[in-house]
């Protein structure tokens, strides 16, 4: 992305002064730094280019995107480059307040809200605002965009923040809150490949069948997609996926495939499930309770229903986080997995802090903290691993009630 506008501001004191007031994009404040040392969870570079009078900071990331961080622990991408970010800052001088809106709110509501925010700015700053905006836009070569279009640009930028641009406190490692709308739940991007493959498998795409058969990760994702989108016509598809999954010995997804087949309660599937069980020792142990050939099909359905309730279900929100972080890592979605784990630890840490203040005797299963520490070590995040271990030790030392 270009930084044409930033270069002009740095060369022209008049333009820099206009950007500073009334649009609160101050190049001079870049010299003060942010309120605390910070870094991106992704490890990417950050360069401070401006600040504002609330203690907020504008950073440029490695790809040119502009990340804004406030002084209260919130951060978000506000433009794909400095030019776009400045367009938004100049066109929506109350952009912080506008994050409460959504492009879906409609033109009438957006225009009314922006007009009210700008009325307050004019009264507080005793300026014309429109004249300053017109002068700065013309000098920087920006088109005149409506608040509605700028709102769409802002929200599209904010939606890109997680996972690639999540800001962390460099010393303690806690993640900044997102400015703007929350991201989709972690399972949505994780399952995207599986959902696409499942649709192609249902359509009988031979090329996809061959690719899924040869790729353990794609098989697992397709089975997970089938877990949350169950259809009566999928039985033959599930049988084939079950046979393919035996190549990976006993996995959670092999058990899942057996359950999804068993839920149909067909006597003809008992020999297949018996054959799958005999794949190897681990599989035989893990699937030992599947009824043998000749059993009543209703018994097979009961086994599948009981196992489904115990291990699986139909709501991705009920799956343990490790299901999604492991599948994310298998796909190379490292930033997604890391951010999900950091936010999970931050939530645990906050919960424990609130419990300590209230003298609540509730306690956490510290096994999750140990697992988080191991995951952070595996991801090359020693600061996060140490955070998890410190809390683990503190909870171990806490008096039991």
């Amino acid at each position: 992305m270009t930084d044409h506008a930033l270069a002009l501001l740095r060369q022209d004191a008049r333009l820099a002064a206009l950007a500073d007031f009334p649009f609160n994009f101050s190049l001079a404040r870049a010299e003060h730094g942010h309120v605390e040392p910070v870094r991106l969870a992704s490890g990417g570079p950050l360069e401070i280019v401006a600040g504002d009078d609330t203690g907020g900071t504008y950073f440029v990331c490695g790809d040119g995107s502009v990340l804004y961080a406030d002084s209260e622990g919130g951060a978000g991408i506000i433009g794909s480059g400095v030019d776009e970010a400045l367009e938004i800052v100049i066109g929506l001088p109350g952009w912080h307040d506008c994050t409460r809106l959504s492009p879906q709110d409609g033109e009438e509501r957006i225009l009314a809200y922006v007009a009210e925010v700008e009325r307050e700015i004019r009264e507080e700053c005793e300026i014309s605002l429109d004249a300053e905006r017109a002068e700065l836009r013309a000098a920087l070569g920006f088109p005149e965009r409506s608040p509605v279009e700028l709102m769409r640009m802002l929200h599209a930028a904010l939606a890109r923040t997680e996972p690639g641009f999540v800001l962390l406190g460099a010393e303690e490692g806690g993640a900044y809150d997102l400015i703007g709308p929350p991201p989709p739940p972690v399972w949505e991007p994780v399952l995207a490949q599986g959902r696409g493959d499942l649709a192609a498998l249902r359509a009988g795409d031979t090329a996809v069948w061959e690719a899924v058969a040869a790729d353990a990760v794609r098989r697992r994702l397709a089975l997970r997609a089938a877990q949350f989108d169950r259809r009566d016509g999928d039985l033959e598809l599930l049988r084939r996926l079950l046979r393919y999954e035996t190549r990976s010995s006993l996995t959670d997804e092999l058990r899942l495939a057996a359950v999804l087949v068993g839920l149909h309660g067909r006597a003809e599937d008992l020999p297949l499930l018996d054959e799958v069980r005999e794949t190897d020792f681990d599989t035989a142990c893990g699937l030992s309770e599947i009824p043998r050939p000749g059993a009543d099909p209703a018994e097979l359905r009961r086994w599948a229903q009981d196992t489904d309730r115990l291990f699986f279900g139909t709501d991705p929100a009920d799956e343990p986080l490790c299901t999604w972080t492991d599948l994310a890592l298998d796909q190379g979605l490292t930033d997604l997995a890391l951010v999900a784990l950091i936010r999970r630890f931050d939530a645990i840490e906050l919960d424990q802090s609130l419990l300590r203040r209230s003298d609540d005797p509730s306690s956490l299963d510290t096994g999750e903290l140990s697992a988080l520490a191991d995951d952070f070590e595996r991801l090359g995040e020693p600061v996060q691993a140490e955070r998890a271990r410190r809390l683990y030790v503190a909870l171990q030392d806490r008096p039991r009630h």
Side-chain angles (χ1 to χ4, degrees), residues 22 32 54 61 78 111 122 136 161 177 200 202 227 250 284 297 300 327 329 332 362 366 371 394:
H32 303 307
T54 69
C61 304
I78 65 163
L111 292 176
R122 289 184 178 94
L136 196 50
T161 305
D177 294 330
R202 285 170 172 163
Q227 175 185 350
L250 182 63
L300 171 60
L327 286 169
L329 291 172
S362 302
T366 54

Side-chain angles (χ1 to χ4, degrees), residues 195-370:
R195 286 171 169 164
D197 281 346
L198 180 60
L201 296 178
R202 285 170 172 163
D205 189 319
T206 303
V208 173
W209 269 113
E210 293 174 354
V212 169
D215 189 323
V217 174
R218 290 181 68 174
R219 287 199 308 271
R220 294 173 64 198
L221 290 168
L223 283 164
R224 288 294 180 175
Q227 175 185 350
F228 305 113
D229 180 15
R230 304 181 183 191
R231 300 187 185 180
D232 291 339
D234 280 350
L235 180 55
E236 185 53 40
L237 178 156
L238 294 169
R239 288 166 176 160
R240 293 183 67 182
L241 285 173
L242 175 59
R243 291 187 181 97
Y244 288 144
E245 191 59 20
T246 59
R247 301 178 183 184
S248 299
S249 186
L250 182 63
T251 61
D252 288 340
E253 286 71 29
L254 178 60
R255 191 195 308 272
L256 171 61
V259 165
L260 294 176
V261 169
L263 286 171
H264 289 265
R266 301 288 184 85
E268 59 265 36
D269 288 320
L270 287 167
L272 167 62
L273 292 167
D274 196 50
E275 178 185 340
V276 168
R277 174 172 39 216
E278 299 307 317
T279 300
D280 56 31
F281 178 78
D282 289 340
T283 307
C285 294
L287 302 181
S288 62
E289 295 182 3
I290 295 178
R292 297 287 176 175
D296 186 337
E299 188 180 347
L300 171 60
R301 184 180 287 111
R302 282 195 297 273
W303 167 83
Q305 290 170 340
D306 291 344
T307 307
D308 191 25
R309 281 192 293 269
L310 182 61
F311 290 103
F312 302 111
T314 59
D315 188 347
D318 292 337
E319 286 289 325
L321 179 61
C322 61
T323 296
W324 306 121
T325 54
D326 286 350
L327 286 169
L329 291 172
D330 287 341
Q331 296 177 79
L333 303 175
T334 306
D335 289 346
L336 181 66
L338 176 59
V339 167
L341 292 168
I342 291 173
R343 292 209 181 278
R344 173 58 185 153
F345 178 77
D346 286 350
I348 292 172
E349 191 173 51
L350 176 60
D351 286 346
Q352 292 303 308
S353 175
L354 293 174
L355 289 173
R356 286 196 295 270
R357 292 176 190 175
S358 65
D359 294 323
D360 191 308
S362 302
S363 61
L364 171 77
D365 176 7
T366 54
E368 183 179 4
L369 288 172
S370 180

